[in-house]
Structures are given as C-alpha cells and as structure tokens.
Amino acid sequence: MSVIVVSGTGTGIGKTVVTAGLAALAREGGRRVAVVKPAQTGVGAGEPGDLEEVRRLCGEVRTLELARFPEPLAPATAARRAGRGGVRAADAADAAARLAERYDLVLVEGAGGLLVRFDDDGGTLADTARLLGAPVLVVAAAGLGTLNSAALTGEALRTRGLDQLGVVVGSWPERPDLAARCNLLDLPDAAGAPLLGAVPQGAGLLTPEDFRARAAQWFAPALGGVWDADAFTSAAHPGPMAAAAVL
C-alpha cells in the first residue's frame, strides 16, 4: 500500500506519535516517506505543529500541511472563526495522491476523529480516504470508553465501504488498569479489525534516537514492526481470578 490514512477515535490519543512511529519504521526500511496534515488547528503562524513533531521524532521526511488555524477547534469551525474557507477533502486526496507518485509511503494524519468536518460542506477524513481508495488505521485510547468509540468508528468505515487496516492503542499506560488490560482482548471484536500495536505512554518524550530504535517494538509486522499481539495481550490480560481479586 502506498497511502495510509491515520484517524482516531477522538482527539489527544496519540495519532501524531503513531504517525511518527510508522514513518520511522518505513525510513529504517529504506522507504521514502511523506506525511500530509490536511488541517492543523490550535497552532499559530510560525509555531511548531504536528508535522514538526513527526520530523523531530522520525527524522527528515517530506511533509505537507494544507492549512492551519489558530484556535483548537474542529477544522471547519476553526476555519469559519478565522474568516477562511476550510480544507476540501478532494484537495487533501489530490495532495496525497501526487505525493504517492514520488514516495513509497504517504501517511495522511487527520484531526480528531474520522467524521470531524474539514469544511462547511461536510467533507471529512473519511471522504479523503474514499477518494484515495486508501486503508484507514485507527488510533484508539486504552481505557474505559474506548470499545464504544472503536465500534462506532469501525461501523462508520464499513458503512462507507472503507477498509480498516487495524487498530493501534495510541498511549499504553505504564500501569494499565483493569479496563485497559481487558480492552486489549476486546478491541478487535469491537472495531471489527485486528489490533496492530500499542505505543507506550510517553513515547513522544523519548530522544529521537531512542524513538527510532524502539518503534519496531510497538507495531505488528503488518505495519513493519515486530510487535506480537497475542504475546502482548496474554501478558497484559488478567485471568478470571486476577479480575476477581481486583474487583
């Protein structure tokens, strides 16, 4: 696949770090990588945004930001309040498609969740994925409530005929609670897609060298890494007696 759309079950769940990790893996494998951010919100002119963070963590990759708006709101709302037009899903798809002609892998990172509006015409990241014919990787939270969000996102993808590549936990806690540990087992069924990784909480605070060296440990072979879903889930998931003791 030459284009992967990175979406999420919400905002602030680790999409940028996951995107950086995927880019780092691809670069380590000798692939030419480009990263597209259709709409950056909550960042003013001249301030570092998500793409700067991707470059810091994974190294020099081609990046393209189509628009940015200073207020930390949904792109369509932020654009309207800034007195500007939003980003058209077709423009985002065209930009990614052009890059895919010259790069081995193009990652398109959304803002917030799958159906957050890019513009007042109602265009979304899902529309961009449809126009590209690209699979969607869903980044999910670890804890309580993530099963419903993952199920809703998976249903929205299937309803639109979009391919869900899998689910990655964007920030796996150092000391996961019972809900987080149980969610590892339940997420694939809820999302209707395989669990393809778990990025440790605080990964974005690692030095770039450590980040690149460890990235393969966070993602399954389908994404270029060595992460073993069965082994990780078995180690984290409590048995009935352990669950009873906690409760």
Side-chain angles (χ1 to χ4, degrees):
M1 68 198 73
S2 60
V3 181
I4 296 175
V5 173
V6 181
S7 186
T9 55
T11 190
I13 55 174
K15 288 191 301 297
T16 298
V17 174
V18 168
T19 299
L22 295 175
L25 277 179
R27 287 187 74 245
E28 288 297 311
R31 303 174 74 188
R32 297 166 300 166
V33 183
V35 181
V36 179
K37 183 79 174 181
Q40 172 75 67
T41 64
V43 177
E47 296 178 347
D50 292 341
L51 293 183
E52 284 76 15
E53 182 69 357
V54 168
R55 285 198 300 270
R56 183 186 72 82
L57 290 171
C58 79
E60 283 302 317
V61 294
R62 173 72 165 91
T63 57
L64 177 63
E65 180 184 281
L66 271 64
R68 69 166 51 195
F69 309 103
E71 294 182 315
L73 303 168
T77 307
R80 189 185 320 121
R81 286 180 53 83
R84 296 164 54 194
V87 177
R88 296 175 62 246
D91 291 340
D94 287 345
R98 287 196 299 271
L99 287 170
E101 295 174 356
R102 295 182 286 125
Y103 291 86
D104 301 312
L105 175 65
V106 178
L107 300 167
V108 182
E109 183 193 342
L114 181 71
L115 301 183
V116 170
R117 292 189 171 195
F118 281 163
D119 61 14
D120 285 338
D121 291 331
T124 67
L125 189 66
D127 295 315
T128 297
R130 175 180 54 81
L131 291 168
L132 286 165
V136 178
L137 181 68
V138 175
V139 182
L144 196 64
T146 197
L147 297 181
N148 182 65
S149 299
L152 289 171
T153 302
E155 183 174 310
L157 288 166
R158 289 189 296 274
T159 298
R160 289 161 175 78
L162 299 174
D163 177 27
Q164 183 175 185
L165 187 59
V167 179
V168 170
V169 176
S171 183
W172 180 252
E174 183 178 353
R175 294 181 177 83
D177 61 13
L178 179 62
R181 287 178 282 149
C182 289
N183 284 343
L184 283 179
L185 194 65
D186 296 331
L187 263 171
D189 284 340
L195 187 63
L196 295 182
V199 177
Q201 188 176 45
L205 301 177
L206 294 171
T207 65
E209 293 75 18
D210 283 347
F211 183 89
R212 297 164 202 171
R214 299 183 191 184
Q217 303 170 25
W218 309 330
F219 300 101
L223 296 175
V226 298
W227 185 80
D228 187 324
D230 291 337
F232 191 90
T233 301
S234 296
H237 184 68
M241 294 304 295
V246 172
L247 294 171

